[in-house]
Amino acid sequence: TAANTLEAFVEFECQFPRSPFRNATQDSIYQKSTRGADNKGYHAFIKAFPTNRNVPQAWAAIYARYRSEYTAEAISRFLTEYPDYPSKNDARRDQVLFKTALYPMREAGKWGYLDVSRAVKIAAEYEEAGPFLEGLALVRREGKYGFVEKTGKLAIPALYTQARPFENGLAAVATGPRAQGLIGKDGRVALPLRYDSLGAWSEGLIAIRQGGLLGFADAKGAVAIAPRYEEVGPFRGGVAR
């Protein structure tokens, strides 16, 4: 439409429901309704335009944000908060999968995963395979580390020279010496990979070292205390010594 506004596209679809441009009009309505949207924004679109052809895409965007936590608890929370979700059976399958315990197993020199009945669930294709923690397992392929989910899909590609399992929703990774940082379960960098080393977590904070000095980052990847100390201990009762 000439106006190129959400209202104009909605009016056009109402006036010309059989227009050959209907699909393009619905796409524009979706894009303008959900640009920069959070879950509430996507759900508002679904409620406002239930016949729009992009409704499945909107549901997928909402569900992906819960599924990316890789826990049964997150799926349960999603089903409670969105009882109108049309693909409940798919979500329940994920819920069962995330509850399933998988264990590293070695076969022909490679590592994979099996369940409690010793049935192979993820084929042995990795050089290393750690336990599932917070829904993801640390694996090594061709000398680099990544993270696998319980479907067997690499949730985070094997890109890192060093990595630690997820803790507090973040994983410490490195691409080289003095290039350590934190990533989230979506693989996005939470704390830039520019630190010399990362320490252990204590009370939701992780020690960071840069230029020989120590500080702390929080569980969102933000620097809570800039590196300025020569020595630090773990936090206990809100105090680090």
Side-chain angles (χ1 to χ4, degrees):
T1 69
N4 197 30
T5 64
L6 174 61
E7 293 75 14
F9 284 112
V10 171
E11 183 179 354
F12 179 87
E13 185 180 21
C14 288
Q15 290 182 355
F16 307 102
R18 299 184 184 223
S19 167
F21 303 107
R22 186 174 184 232
N23 286 348
T25 300
Q26 290 196 347
D27 291 346
S28 294
I29 291 171
Y30 174 65
Q31 291 162 8
K32 291 183 178 298
S33 297
T34 61
R35 185 175 293 124
D38 58 9
N39 289 342
K40 288 183 179 179
Y42 279 106
H43 199 232
F45 163 80
I46 291 167
K47 290 292 190 183
F49 305 104
T51 61
N52 188 289
R53 72 186 195 132
N54 295 286
V55 163
Q57 188 174 338
W59 273 123
I62 298 173
Y63 183 62
R65 295 179 180 182
Y66 286 78
R67 192 188 183 282
S68 64
E69 294 183 36
Y70 301 104
T71 66
E73 293 76 16
I75 304 303
S76 179
R77 193 168 71 250
F78 170 80
L79 290 171
T80 298
E81 293 176 7
Y82 297 98
D84 51 335
Y85 182 55
S87 302
K88 291 184 180 67
N89 288 339
D90 292 341
R92 291 189 181 110
R93 277 193 289 271
D94 278 338
Q95 193 174 30
V96 170
L97 176 65
F98 293 156
K99 284 182 179 178
T100 302
L102 298 183
Y103 307 94
M105 62 89 181
R106 193 176 187 187
E107 183 178 78
K110 296 285 187 178
W111 289 87
Y113 293 86
L114 46 75
D115 64 14
V116 69
S117 70
R118 302 191 67 80
V120 174
K121 294 300 181 180
I122 300 176
E125 58 181 283
Y126 298 106
E127 296 154 8
E128 291 181 31
F132 277 90
L133 296 171
E134 297 192 9
L136 295 174
L138 178 64
V139 294
R140 182 164 64 95
R141 172 186 281 172
E142 297 180 358
K144 297 289 183 71
Y145 291 92
F147 293 86
V148 67
E149 62 164 284
K150 288 183 177 178
T151 61
K153 176 185 176 183
L154 268 177
I156 298 173
L159 300 173
Y160 301 101
T161 56
Q162 297 177 49
R164 293 183 349 216
F166 273 89
E167 189 174 356
N168 293 309
L170 298 172
V173 298
T175 54
R178 299 185 179 181
Q180 298 193 28
L182 297 169
I183 60 170
K185 291 184 180 179
D186 57 3
R188 294 181 183 176
V189 173
L191 179 71
L193 278 64
R194 62 185 181 211
Y195 293 91
D196 300 343
S197 64
L198 302 182
W201 288 92
S202 61
E203 297 187 3
L205 295 171
I206 187 170
I208 57 176
R209 181 185 292 274
Q210 188 175 48
L213 299 177
L214 291 157
F216 290 91
D218 64 21
K220 292 183 178 179
V223 176
I225 301 173
R228 59 176 180 265
Y229 300 102
E230 294 180 359
E231 292 184 22
V232 295
F235 272 88
R236 291 190 179 93
V239 177
R241 299 183 185 279

